[in-house]
Amino acid sequence: MSLLSFFKINERGSTVRQEIIAGLTTFLAMVYSVIVVPSMLADAGFPAESVYIATCLVAGFGSILIGVFANVPMAIGCAISLTAFTAFSLVLGQKIAIPVALGAIFLMGVAFTLISVTGIRAWILKNLPSSIAHGAGIGIGLFLLLIAANGVGLVVANDAGLPVKMGEFTSFGVMMSLIGLASIIGLEKRQVKGGILWVIIAITIVGLIFDPNVKFGGSVFKLPVVSGESLFGAMDIMGALNAAVLPVVFALVMTAVFDATGTIRAVAGQAGLIDKDGQIIGGGKALTADSMSSLMSGVFGTAPAAVYIESAAGTAVGGKTGLVAVIVGVLFLLMLFFQPLAFLVPSYATAPALMYVGLLMLSNVSKLDFDDFVGAMSGLVCAVFIVLTANIVTGIMLGFGLLVLGRVICGEFKKLNIGTVIIAVALVAFYALGYAI
């Protein structure tokens, strides 16, 4: 069977050349993830070499899986938002051991896979209000901005009562980060493909010239061998089944359900893969491949995986089939041999990418329906308290609680359903009984 027939390239109005260009474009748009993800997880104590290899493997095999299995032009990688949750909320903030965190990621993959292949997902989508899902997206975006700004010293701890204050504005790292952010925004406006990657490379070169802390070791290639501790198969599933950790699994599953569905629908729409009934062509298989990739994350030892919204860069230049994703996957597997080059990048070069992704996630504000005042306010409460408590689960719990109580107080009983109430009561009980992390 030829590529044309297997991927239905002619049937979808594309060509092999067009699909290859789309694959390269998507790869350039999201390759920054193999730099950012290991850097963030290393801050939480994950062995950087092991995470780099795992991140490349998840993006490589996950993208190939969704391309071959679902035949959609969508690429998979370790989600930046869930990487932040794993590193800064779960491991550093809540002091959860790394193997237990990986166990939670694996369980999230199991649960999401079951949800994707059964009717349970439909029930969850019906009973998890969109306002809370959008609020979680806003909160995670703000959380990313705070993490990136703090990492380069733009925002620092404040001893005067409030949590944070501005750092040293004229420091080299802060200035490079702000210039980098402005550059990414400008390049994205000009629709320069791979703008995020080019900015990371440019700032790294500037660092090599002017920053004595950035040094080139002389090697570009390296065989993907972990010289130190490996996290492959190190997940502690029994530890993740502890009642205190299960809310984390729930938070990961909920985020995956909404993020994956929203991203897949957005990319599918741009690629013209919505059928006459408004359903995504290959959508069910895409969700299954997406969830199975998080199973890989737990096994290999990295952050949860998800379809990247950057896949839209490929569909924007004409990508319409799974060949796009396969090309992206192969390129990520080749990145296994460029580890020294990736680890040369300083934090102030990757911070602009984090800030930009965080800003993009704030667009969820426009998705809140302010005609439904209680729902919109609940979403905003969820968003704000994710940042103020540095905990996604806490924000979700407060959003759910306010939503149910608000509807009861204003008499909007018809807008409530038993599923929403059950989820809200369960979350509040986890906190009230002291089980929450």
Side-chain angles (χ1 to χ4, degrees), residues 210-240:
F210 296 104
D211 187 352
N213 295 317
V214 181
K215 300 177 181 178
F216 177 54
S219 61
V220 174
F221 304 98
K222 179 183 178 182
L223 290 175
V225 177
V226 180
S227 58
E229 180 186 357
S230 173
L231 293 178
F232 184 85
M235 56 188 179
D236 181 359
I237 297 176
M238 295 306 297

PDB file of all heavy atoms in Angstrom, residues 210-240:
ATOM      1  N   PHE A 210      28.154  36.723  25.406  1.00  0.00           N
ATOM      2  CA  PHE A 210      28.239  37.714  26.470  1.00  0.00           C
ATOM      3  C   PHE A 210      28.106  37.158  27.884  1.00  0.00           C
ATOM      4  O   PHE A 210      28.430  37.846  28.851  1.00  0.00           O
ATOM      5  CB  PHE A 210      27.157  38.790  26.259  1.00  0.00           C
ATOM      6  CG  PHE A 210      27.330  39.580  24.996  1.00  0.00           C
ATOM      7  CD1 PHE A 210      26.523  39.348  23.892  1.00  0.00           C
ATOM      8  CD2 PHE A 210      28.308  40.556  24.903  1.00  0.00           C
ATOM      9  CE1 PHE A 210      26.675  40.066  22.719  1.00  0.00           C
ATOM     10  CE2 PHE A 210      28.473  41.296  23.741  1.00  0.00           C
ATOM     11  CZ  PHE A 210      27.661  41.043  22.642  1.00  0.00           C
ATOM     12  N   ASP A 211      27.600  35.945  28.047  1.00  0.00           N
ATOM     13  CA  ASP A 211      27.386  35.388  29.385  1.00  0.00           C
ATOM     14  C   ASP A 211      28.441  34.313  29.673  1.00  0.00           C
ATOM     15  O   ASP A 211      28.441  33.252  29.044  1.00  0.00           O
ATOM     16  CB  ASP A 211      25.977  34.775  29.465  1.00  0.00           C
ATOM     17  CG  ASP A 211      25.616  34.321  30.875  1.00  0.00           C
ATOM     18  OD1 ASP A 211      26.496  34.334  31.750  1.00  0.00           O
ATOM     19  OD2 ASP A 211      24.446  33.950  31.092  1.00  0.00           O
ATOM     20  N   PRO A 212      29.331  34.556  30.650  1.00  0.00           N
ATOM     21  CA  PRO A 212      30.381  33.571  30.958  1.00  0.00           C
ATOM     22  C   PRO A 212      29.843  32.259  31.517  1.00  0.00           C
ATOM     23  O   PRO A 212      30.564  31.256  31.543  1.00  0.00           O
ATOM     24  CB  PRO A 212      31.247  34.305  31.994  1.00  0.00           C
ATOM     25  CG  PRO A 212      30.350  35.353  32.581  1.00  0.00           C
ATOM     26  CD  PRO A 212      29.445  35.769  31.468  1.00  0.00           C
ATOM     27  N   ASN A 213      28.583  32.257  31.955  1.00  0.00           N
ATOM     28  CA  ASN A 213      27.993  31.033  32.502  1.00  0.00           C
ATOM     29  C   ASN A 213      27.509  30.079  31.414  1.00  0.00           C
ATOM     30  O   ASN A 213      27.181  28.920  31.703  1.00  0.00           O
ATOM     31  CB  ASN A 213      26.817  31.377  33.424  1.00  0.00           C
ATOM     32  CG  ASN A 213      27.267  32.140  34.655  1.00  0.00           C
ATOM     33  OD1 ASN A 213      28.271  31.797  35.267  1.00  0.00           O
ATOM     34  ND2 ASN A 213      26.517  33.182  35.012  1.00  0.00           N
ATOM     35  N   VAL A 214      27.415  30.553  30.195  1.00  0.00           N
ATOM     36  CA  VAL A 214      26.979  29.726  29.073  1.00  0.00           C
ATOM     37  C   VAL A 214      28.217  29.305  28.285  1.00  0.00           C
ATOM     38  O   VAL A 214      28.884  30.145  27.667  1.00  0.00           O
ATOM     39  CB  VAL A 214      25.993  30.489  28.156  1.00  0.00           C
ATOM     40  CG1 VAL A 214      25.531  29.600  27.011  1.00  0.00           C
ATOM     41  CG2 VAL A 214      24.792  30.966  28.965  1.00  0.00           C
ATOM     42  N   LYS A 215      28.529  28.019  28.317  1.00  0.00           N
ATOM     43  CA  LYS A 215      29.757  27.526  27.690  1.00  0.00           C
ATOM     44  C   LYS A 215      29.449  26.343  26.772  1.00  0.00           C
ATOM     45  O   LYS A 215      28.674  25.457  27.135  1.00  0.00           O
ATOM     46  CB  LYS A 215      30.765  27.093  28.755  1.00  0.00           C
ATOM     47  CG  LYS A 215      31.179  28.222  29.696  1.00  0.00           C
ATOM     48  CD  LYS A 215      32.120  27.710  30.782  1.00  0.00           C
ATOM     49  CE  LYS A 215      32.505  28.826  31.741  1.00  0.00           C
ATOM     50  NZ  LYS A 215      33.382  28.342  32.828  1.00  0.00           N
ATOM     51  N   PHE A 216      30.062  26.352  25.600  1.00  0.00           N
ATOM     52  CA  PHE A 216      29.904  25.257  24.642  1.00  0.00           C
ATOM     53  C   PHE A 216      30.952  24.184  24.925  1.00  0.00           C
ATOM     54  O   PHE A 216      32.154  24.457  24.935  1.00  0.00           O
ATOM     55  CB  PHE A 216      30.046  25.777  23.218  1.00  0.00           C
ATOM     56  CG  PHE A 216      29.964  24.709  22.159  1.00  0.00           C
ATOM     57  CD1 PHE A 216      28.878  23.841  22.116  1.00  0.00           C
ATOM     58  CD2 PHE A 216      30.962  24.578  21.206  1.00  0.00           C
ATOM     59  CE1 PHE A 216      28.789  22.865  21.143  1.00  0.00           C
ATOM     60  CE2 PHE A 216      30.884  23.601  20.228  1.00  0.00           C
ATOM     61  CZ  PHE A 216      29.797  22.747  20.202  1.00  0.00           C
ATOM     62  N   GLY A 217      30.502  22.967  25.162  1.00  0.00           N
ATOM     63  CA  GLY A 217      31.412  21.895  25.537  1.00  0.00           C
ATOM     64  C   GLY A 217      32.179  21.286  24.378  1.00  0.00           C
ATOM     65  O   GLY A 217      33.071  20.462  24.591  1.00  0.00           O
ATOM     66  N   GLY A 218      31.856  21.675  23.155  1.00  0.00           N
ATOM     67  CA  GLY A 218      32.598  21.184  22.004  1.00  0.00           C
ATOM     68  C   GLY A 218      31.918  20.075  21.223  1.00  0.00           C
ATOM     69  O   GLY A 218      32.330  19.740  20.122  1.00  0.00           O
ATOM     70  N   SER A 219      30.867  19.458  21.772  1.00  0.00           N
ATOM     71  CA  SER A 219      30.189  18.365  21.072  1.00  0.00           C
ATOM     72  C   SER A 219      28.744  18.739  20.758  1.00  0.00           C
ATOM     73  O   SER A 219      28.084  19.425  21.539  1.00  0.00           O
ATOM     74  CB  SER A 219      30.207  17.095  21.919  1.00  0.00           C
ATOM     75  OG  SER A 219      29.535  17.292  23.139  1.00  0.00           O
ATOM     76  N   VAL A 220      28.285  18.287  19.600  1.00  0.00           N
ATOM     77  CA  VAL A 220      26.918  18.529  19.158  1.00  0.00           C
ATOM     78  C   VAL A 220      26.097  17.243  19.230  1.00  0.00           C
ATOM     79  O   VAL A 220      24.935  17.255  19.606  1.00  0.00           O
ATOM     80  CB  VAL A 220      26.894  19.079  17.718  1.00  0.00           C
ATOM     81  CG1 VAL A 220      25.472  19.193  17.195  1.00  0.00           C
ATOM     82  CG2 VAL A 220      27.592  20.434  17.665  1.00  0.00           C
ATOM     83  N   PHE A 221      26.722  16.120  18.896  1.00  0.00           N
ATOM     84  CA  PHE A 221      26.030  14.832  18.860  1.00  0.00           C
ATOM     85  C   PHE A 221      26.387  13.998  20.091  1.00  0.00           C
ATOM     86  O   PHE A 221      27.484  14.089  20.638  1.00  0.00           O
ATOM     87  CB  PHE A 221      26.414  14.058  17.597  1.00  0.00           C
ATOM     88  CG  PHE A 221      26.150  14.811  16.323  1.00  0.00           C
ATOM     89  CD1 PHE A 221      27.184  15.489  15.687  1.00  0.00           C
ATOM     90  CD2 PHE A 221      24.892  14.849  15.765  1.00  0.00           C
ATOM     91  CE1 PHE A 221      26.952  16.187  14.513  1.00  0.00           C
ATOM     92  CE2 PHE A 221      24.652  15.535  14.597  1.00  0.00           C
ATOM     93  CZ  PHE A 221      25.684  16.206  13.972  1.00  0.00           C
ATOM     94  N   LYS A 222      25.424  13.183  20.511  1.00  0.00           N
ATOM     95  CA  LYS A 222      25.661  12.260  21.621  1.00  0.00           C
ATOM     96  C   LYS A 222      24.678  11.105  21.514  1.00  0.00           C
ATOM     97  O   LYS A 222      23.483  11.313  21.287  1.00  0.00           O
ATOM     98  CB  LYS A 222      25.479  12.969  22.974  1.00  0.00           C
ATOM     99  CG  LYS A 222      25.694  12.062  24.170  1.00  0.00           C
ATOM    100  CD  LYS A 222      25.439  12.786  25.475  1.00  0.00           C
ATOM    101  CE  LYS A 222      25.606  11.858  26.666  1.00  0.00           C
ATOM    102  NZ  LYS A 222      25.315  12.533  27.947  1.00  0.00           N
ATOM    103  N   LEU A 223      25.188   9.893  21.697  1.00  0.00           N
ATOM    104  CA  LEU A 223      24.296   8.744  21.689  1.00  0.00           C
ATOM    105  C   LEU A 223      23.340   8.842  22.879  1.00  0.00           C
ATOM    106  O   LEU A 223      23.752   9.248  23.977  1.00  0.00           O
ATOM    107  CB  LEU A 223      25.092   7.443  21.761  1.00  0.00           C
ATOM    108  CG  LEU A 223      25.899   7.074  20.510  1.00  0.00           C
ATOM    109  CD1 LEU A 223      26.731   5.827  20.778  1.00  0.00           C
ATOM    110  CD2 LEU A 223      24.983   6.862  19.311  1.00  0.00           C
ATOM    111  N   PRO A 224      22.063   8.494  22.690  1.00  0.00           N
ATOM    112  CA  PRO A 224      21.078   8.643  23.776  1.00  0.00           C
ATOM    113  C   PRO A 224      21.247   7.591  24.875  1.00  0.00           C
ATOM    114  O   PRO A 224      20.478   6.644  24.989  1.00  0.00           O
ATOM    115  CB  PRO A 224      19.746   8.479  23.042  1.00  0.00           C
ATOM    116  CG  PRO A 224      20.069   7.618  21.872  1.00  0.00           C
ATOM    117  CD  PRO A 224      21.452   8.014  21.438  1.00  0.00           C
ATOM    118  N   VAL A 225      22.290   7.773  25.680  1.00  0.00           N
ATOM    119  CA  VAL A 225      22.555   6.878  26.802  1.00  0.00           C
ATOM    120  C   VAL A 225      22.512   7.692  28.091  1.00  0.00           C
ATOM    121  O   VAL A 225      23.165   8.736  28.192  1.00  0.00           O
ATOM    122  CB  VAL A 225      23.928   6.192  26.664  1.00  0.00           C
ATOM    123  CG1 VAL A 225      24.215   5.323  27.883  1.00  0.00           C
ATOM    124  CG2 VAL A 225      23.969   5.362  25.385  1.00  0.00           C
ATOM    125  N   VAL A 226      21.761   7.249  29.073  1.00  0.00           N
ATOM    126  CA  VAL A 226      21.651   7.964  30.345  1.00  0.00           C
ATOM    127  C   VAL A 226      22.857   7.611  31.209  1.00  0.00           C
ATOM    128  O   VAL A 226      23.043   6.457  31.600  1.00  0.00           O
ATOM    129  CB  VAL A 226      20.349   7.594  31.090  1.00  0.00           C
ATOM    130  CG1 VAL A 226      20.268   8.356  32.404  1.00  0.00           C
ATOM    131  CG2 VAL A 226      19.142   7.917  30.211  1.00  0.00           C
ATOM    132  N   SER A 227      23.703   8.620  31.494  1.00  0.00           N
ATOM    133  CA  SER A 227      24.910   8.370  32.286  1.00  0.00           C
ATOM    134  C   SER A 227      24.615   8.334  33.774  1.00  0.00           C
ATOM    135  O   SER A 227      25.357   7.750  34.553  1.00  0.00           O
ATOM    136  CB  SER A 227      25.954   9.459  31.988  1.00  0.00           C
ATOM    137  OG  SER A 227      25.432  10.747  32.275  1.00  0.00           O
ATOM    138  N   GLY A 228      23.535   8.983  34.190  1.00  0.00           N
ATOM    139  CA  GLY A 228      23.186   8.999  35.613  1.00  0.00           C
ATOM    140  C   GLY A 228      21.945   8.178  35.890  1.00  0.00           C
ATOM    141  O   GLY A 228      21.746   7.094  35.326  1.00  0.00           O
ATOM    142  N   GLU A 229      21.060   8.706  36.740  1.00  0.00           N
ATOM    143  CA  GLU A 229      19.841   7.992  37.120  1.00  0.00           C
ATOM    144  C   GLU A 229      18.834   7.984  35.976  1.00  0.00           C
ATOM    145  O   GLU A 229      18.602   8.994  35.323  1.00  0.00           O
ATOM    146  CB  GLU A 229      19.228   8.665  38.348  1.00  0.00           C
ATOM    147  CG  GLU A 229      17.951   7.998  38.834  1.00  0.00           C
ATOM    148  CD  GLU A 229      17.292   8.784  39.970  1.00  0.00           C
ATOM    149  OE1 GLU A 229      17.877   9.793  40.387  1.00  0.00           O
ATOM    150  OE2 GLU A 229      16.209   8.389  40.399  1.00  0.00           O
ATOM    151  N   SER A 230      18.221   6.838  35.739  1.00  0.00           N
ATOM    152  CA  SER A 230      17.179   6.724  34.720  1.00  0.00           C
ATOM    153  C   SER A 230      15.822   6.561  35.387  1.00  0.00           C
ATOM    154  O   SER A 230      15.687   5.878  36.401  1.00  0.00           O
ATOM    155  CB  SER A 230      17.449   5.518  33.809  1.00  0.00           C
ATOM    156  OG  SER A 230      16.348   5.312  32.936  1.00  0.00           O
ATOM    157  N   LEU A 231      14.823   7.205  34.797  1.00  0.00           N
ATOM    158  CA  LEU A 231      13.459   7.104  35.325  1.00  0.00           C
ATOM    159  C   LEU A 231      12.617   6.112  34.525  1.00  0.00           C
ATOM    160  O   LEU A 231      11.413   5.993  34.780  1.00  0.00           O
ATOM    161  CB  LEU A 231      12.788   8.480  35.310  1.00  0.00           C
ATOM    162  CG  LEU A 231      13.366   9.526  36.259  1.00  0.00           C
ATOM    163  CD1 LEU A 231      12.645  10.852  36.095  1.00  0.00           C
ATOM    164  CD2 LEU A 231      13.278   9.057  37.704  1.00  0.00           C
ATOM    165  N   PHE A 232      13.230   5.416  33.599  1.00  0.00           N
ATOM    166  CA  PHE A 232      12.482   4.455  32.791  1.00  0.00           C
ATOM    167  C   PHE A 232      11.925   3.350  33.696  1.00  0.00           C
ATOM    168  O   PHE A 232      12.671   2.650  34.389  1.00  0.00           O
ATOM    169  CB  PHE A 232      13.375   3.838  31.720  1.00  0.00           C
ATOM    170  CG  PHE A 232      12.644   2.902  30.791  1.00  0.00           C
ATOM    171  CD1 PHE A 232      11.979   3.398  29.683  1.00  0.00           C
ATOM    172  CD2 PHE A 232      12.594   1.540  31.033  1.00  0.00           C
ATOM    173  CE1 PHE A 232      11.292   2.558  28.825  1.00  0.00           C
ATOM    174  CE2 PHE A 232      11.909   0.676  30.184  1.00  0.00           C
ATOM    175  CZ  PHE A 232      11.246   1.197  29.080  1.00  0.00           C
ATOM    176  N   GLY A 233      10.601   3.210  33.708  1.00  0.00           N
ATOM    177  CA  GLY A 233       9.954   2.190  34.528  1.00  0.00           C
ATOM    178  C   GLY A 233      10.011   2.444  36.021  1.00  0.00           C
ATOM    179  O   GLY A 233       9.737   1.545  36.820  1.00  0.00           O
ATOM    180  N   ALA A 234      10.341   3.681  36.431  1.00  0.00           N
ATOM    181  CA  ALA A 234      10.506   3.979  37.866  1.00  0.00           C
ATOM    182  C   ALA A 234       9.207   4.402  38.537  1.00  0.00           C
ATOM    183  O   ALA A 234       9.209   4.745  39.725  1.00  0.00           O
ATOM    184  CB  ALA A 234      11.557   5.074  38.054  1.00  0.00           C
ATOM    185  N   MET A 235       8.100   4.397  37.826  1.00  0.00           N
ATOM    186  CA  MET A 235       6.836   4.887  38.385  1.00  0.00           C
ATOM    187  C   MET A 235       6.352   4.020  39.551  1.00  0.00           C
ATOM    188  O   MET A 235       6.499   2.807  39.541  1.00  0.00           O
ATOM    189  CB  MET A 235       5.768   4.924  37.293  1.00  0.00           C
ATOM    190  CG  MET A 235       5.566   3.597  36.613  1.00  0.00           C
ATOM    191  SD  MET A 235       4.490   3.726  35.186  1.00  0.00           S
ATOM    192  CE  MET A 235       4.501   2.031  34.611  1.00  0.00           C
ATOM    193  N   ASP A 236       5.789   4.688  40.554  1.00  0.00           N
ATOM    194  CA  ASP A 236       5.238   4.022  41.740  1.00  0.00           C
ATOM    195  C   ASP A 236       3.712   4.109  41.654  1.00  0.00           C
ATOM    196  O   ASP A 236       3.104   5.070  42.135  1.00  0.00           O
ATOM    197  CB  ASP A 236       5.762   4.696  43.007  1.00  0.00           C
ATOM    198  CG  ASP A 236       5.250   4.029  44.280  1.00  0.00           C
ATOM    199  OD1 ASP A 236       4.474   3.059  44.181  1.00  0.00           O
ATOM    200  OD2 ASP A 236       5.617   4.493  45.380  1.00  0.00           O
ATOM    201  N   ILE A 237       3.107   3.087  41.048  1.00  0.00           N
ATOM    202  CA  ILE A 237       1.656   3.108  40.840  1.00  0.00           C
ATOM    203  C   ILE A 237       0.911   2.958  42.164  1.00  0.00           C
ATOM    204  O   ILE A 237      -0.094   3.644  42.401  1.00  0.00           O
ATOM    205  CB  ILE A 237       1.244   1.995  39.857  1.00  0.00           C
ATOM    206  CG1 ILE A 237       1.883   2.260  38.489  1.00  0.00           C
ATOM    207  CG2 ILE A 237      -0.276   1.920  39.719  1.00  0.00           C
ATOM    208  CD1 ILE A 237       1.626   1.177  37.470  1.00  0.00           C
ATOM    209  N   MET A 238       1.394   2.089  43.042  1.00  0.00           N
ATOM    210  CA  MET A 238       0.727   1.897  44.330  1.00  0.00           C
ATOM    211  C   MET A 238       0.756   3.176  45.157  1.00  0.00           C
ATOM    212  O   MET A 238      -0.207   3.523  45.840  1.00  0.00           O
ATOM    213  CB  MET A 238       1.380   0.749  45.099  1.00  0.00           C
ATOM    214  CG  MET A 238       1.217  -0.620  44.441  1.00  0.00           C
ATOM    215  SD  MET A 238      -0.520  -1.024  44.080  1.00  0.00           S
ATOM    216  CE  MET A 238      -1.199  -1.057  45.759  1.00  0.00           C
ATOM    217  N   GLY A 239       1.872   3.893  45.104  1.00  0.00           N
ATOM    218  CA  GLY A 239       1.949   5.171  45.812  1.00  0.00           C
ATOM    219  C   GLY A 239       0.971   6.187  45.266  1.00  0.00           C
ATOM    220  O   GLY A 239       0.401   6.984  46.009  1.00  0.00           O
ATOM    221  N   ALA A 240       0.757   6.150  43.937  1.00  0.00           N
ATOM    222  CA  ALA A 240      -0.171   7.087  43.308  1.00  0.00           C
ATOM    223  C   ALA A 240      -1.622   6.750  43.608  1.00  0.00           C
ATOM    224  O   ALA A 240      -2.506   7.592  43.454  1.00  0.00           O
ATOM    225  CB  ALA A 240       0.055   7.109  41.799  1.00  0.00           C
TER     226      ALA A 240
END
